Structures are given as structure tokens and as C-alpha cells.
Amino acid sequence: MKITKAVIPAAGLGTRVLPATKAMPKEMYPIVDKPAIQYIVEEAVASGITDILIITNRGKGVIEDHFDRAPELEEKLLSAHKQAMYEEIVGLSRLANIYFVRQKETRGLGHAVNCARSFVGKEPFAVLYGDDVIIGEDPACGQLIRAFDEYGLGVAGVKQVTPQAIAKYCSLKVEPLRDNLFRCTDMVEKPKPDQVMSLYSILGRCVLPPEIFDILDQTPPGAGGEIQLTDAMRVLARSSGMVAVDFTGVRYDMGNKLGVMQAAVEVALHHPEIGEAFRLYLKGIAGSL
Ligand code: UTP
């Protein structure tokens, strides 16, 4: 079955980037001039997704505004003959069919995904975490969809993290299939040192069968007292097995301060408008670091 639906959970509280996230969702942080969530929606669209559900909560209305029409702004751009910017702004409202639903209580990523049950229905679907921006030639979500098409199993986008960092992520039990594909038969969220099965961790993308919703209904709160998506995916991994894709592309964690800065610097260096000037600036200050 062709995957056309995606869910973007964006209802987290972003406590690691306070106070900026007190009133501004981290999903709206600009990477130079484009908010993080726009990169994610564009990646989904480039992967063949036509319908997107964004999970939000109180205070995230600006995300809805970003993908809506903006008549006053559009008029202003037109009258100033800024045609290209006008097209870009209007284009944002036409990227895909974008829907919104609120996660009424912040009970974890698994709980957020479970809010998508009636949107998803009985189809497999993609999940793109709202604070994980992945930049690369080949859209990461599309790489996972191709693996789903080939194996017909749930798919997780993975990368290796450092031994020091694995305790903050999840750890997967994997064996090689071919190239950058692995079979995954177990996983654990926030592993203790004796629970680490590999340094492969799920970073920001997965493709799931609709059975995940019944599993999520049965999933009790796990690490941090939250309903963890990993705990539900572990049931899939242990029963039918999953596929892990070590995706190509650079992933930026917009939920932590260093990730926000890395994204800004690396995107700015290649930005058509400011790239050259920014490179000179960086070279200028690098000598004194
Ligand atoms: P994170 O755990 O990184 O987000 O969730 P968080 O809870 O905002 O982070 P901190 O620890 O407080 O800084 C990954 C993704 O899942 C969403 C977040 O918005 C983020 O995009 N999420 C998380 C939800 O939608 N609902 C939740 O209850 C938790």
C-alpha cells in the first residue's frame, strides 16, 4: 500500500531549550530564515506524502498560521512587486493537505502519535518528529518508505550515537540485512549500561503499520513517566521484526541548544544570500577562538 500520510508530533514542552520555548514552539525556530517544521513538511512532501497531521497543543497556533494564507502580507508583497517572495509565501499553504489536532495532555511521544488514530485509519504511515530536521539530497522519510515497500515491515530511521550519549536515546538490537539496512528485533528506551544492545538509535523518523495504535493503547508510561513510542515499537520489533535504515543526510536536534546552533551555522554557510559573507565572518572570528 502506497504511503501518503504522515504525522508530525509537535506538542512537546521543549524544556531543554527554555526560556525560548516558553511562548515559542521549538518547531518554529528558524534555521536562518525557515522554521524547522517547514523543512520537515518539505521533506515529507518530497517523499510522496500528500496528507500531514501535525500534533500540537496550547500555544502552538503559530504553526497553523505558518501554513495558512496571509492575505495582508500577500497584498503587501504584490504591491511591492516582490513576486518571488509572494509565490513562496502562498506556496506554503499549498505544500500538502495539512491538518492539526491537539494532544490535550503532554503524556509523551507515544501518546502524541496515538492522537493520530482516526486520521491514519487502517493504512501504514510515516512519523517525522517535529524537532528533528534532516537535511540531505535524498529525503530521509522517502528512504524509510522505500524500505517499507521492500520488506512490508515497520521501519525506523537510525544513526549511531556515542557511547556517552546512548543513555539519552534508545538502543536497538540489529543485524545487517544489506547496505545501510538492518533487521531490528528489539529495542530499549533510555538504556542503562547493561541494556545497551548497539549504539544504533532511532533518530526522528519511522514508518509504522496501523497496528501500532492498538499496541499504544496497551502501552503503560515508561521512561520519564511518559508513554514512549519506543516501547510500542519494541512490541512490533519482537513479534514481526522491524527494519532499521541508517539514513543518509545530516540530522539536527532542534530540541537542544547545540543542535539549534549547528543547524544555523551549517545552513547559513550554504545560504545563497548570506553564505559568502557568513563564511568570511566565521573565518574572521575563528582565529581568535
Ligand atoms: P522530545 O522528548 O524531544 O520533546 O520529543 P520535548 O518533550 O518537547 O523535549 P524536552 O525534553 O522537554 O526538551 C520528540 C518530539 O515529540 C513531540 C515533541 O514536540 C518533539 O517534536 N512530543 C513529545 C509530543 O508531541 N508530545 C509529547 O507529549 C512529547
Side-chain angles (χ1 to χ4, degrees):
M1 184 183 260
K2 194 167 154 27
I3 295 183
T4 58
K5 290 182 181 172
V7 174
I8 304 181
L13 298 179
T15 55
R16 285 166 295 153
V17 262
L18 279 169
T21 42
K22 186 180 173 203
M24 165 65 90
K26 59 183 166 179
E27 295 81 10
M28 284 300 290
Y29 281 174
I31 304 179
V32 185
D33 51 6
K34 208 197 267 191
I37 197 157
Q38 187 182 331
Y39 283 92
I40 295 169
V41 167
E42 286 173 350
E43 178 197 320
V45 171
S47 305
I49 298 294
T50 55
D51 292 82
I52 297 173
L53 178 72
I54 302 180
I55 317 281
T56 63
N57 63 3
R58 285 169 298 282
K60 305 256 181 175
V62 282
I63 300 180
E64 296 186 36
D65 293 344
H66 188 70
F67 294 103
D68 196 2
R69 294 293 295 268
E72 285 168 6
L73 174 65
E74 290 168 19
E75 224 167 86
K76 180 105 183 163
L77 291 171
L78 274 184
S79 60
H81 304 292
K82 295 188 171 165
Q83 191 69 27
M85 184 50 75
Y86 167 81
E87 308 278 351
E88 196 175 329
I89 293 297
V90 174
L92 276 174
S93 63
R94 298 186 179 145
L95 279 170
N97 301 316
I98 302 183
Y99 306 87
F100 298 88
V101 71
R102 281 191 180 208
Q103 181 189 17
K104 295 186 181 70
E105 290 172 88
T106 313
R107 292 178 59 201
L109 180 57
H111 180 257
V113 169
N114 211 5
C115 298
R117 186 193 267 267
S118 61
F119 165 79
V120 167
K122 303 244 170 289
E123 300 171 32
F125 64 105
V127 181
L128 299 91
Y129 302 5
D131 57 354
D132 273 322
V133 171
I134 300 173
I135 297 181
E137 286 284 305
D138 186 9
C141 178
Q143 297 177 44
L144 270 63
I145 290 176
R146 293 202 296 272
F148 178 85
D149 290 343
E150 188 175 343
Y151 293 94
L153 294 171
V155 184
V158 303
K159 287 241 177 242
Q160 280 190 300
V161 303
T162 63
Q164 296 75 29
I166 191 79
K168 287 186 272 170
Y169 291 87
C170 67
S171 170
L172 270 58
K173 184 175 180 188
V174 288
E175 47 195 76
L177 275 171
R178 65 169 167 80
D179 308 320
N180 59 342
L181 301 185
F182 301 82
R183 173 171 284 274
C184 168
T185 50
D186 203 359
M187 60 181 76
V188 55
E189 181 68 27
K190 310 265 183 306
K192 300 196 173 64
D194 61 337
Q195 293 177 314
V196 173
M197 296 179 276
S198 79
L199 294 178
Y200 280 105
S201 191
I202 301 175
L203 295 185
R205 303 289 180 267
C206 45
V207 169
L208 297 169
E211 290 75 38
I212 197 74
F213 295 113
D214 285 344
I215 301 173
L216 279 167
D217 281 345
Q218 304 296 322
T219 303
E226 299 197 328
I227 297 176
Q228 298 286 351
L229 184 60
T230 310
D231 290 344
M233 283 196 273
R234 180 175 56 198
V235 175
L236 278 185
R238 285 182 174 177
S239 53
S240 45
M242 288 184 70
V243 175
V245 179
D246 186 352
F247 56 82
T248 60
V250 184
R251 173 248 184 194
Y252 299 102
D253 180 1
M254 300 298 287
N256 91 51
K257 292 165 197 158
L258 188 60
V260 172
M261 290 315 299
Q262 286 165 333
V265 169
E266 291 178 28
V267 171
L269 281 170
H270 297 104
H271 194 279
E273 199 180 312
I274 60 159
E276 232 7 83
F278 186 64
R279 185 174 299 269
L280 282 176
Y281 162 74
L282 268 193
K283 281 185 174 162
I285 61 166
S288 62
L289 297 179

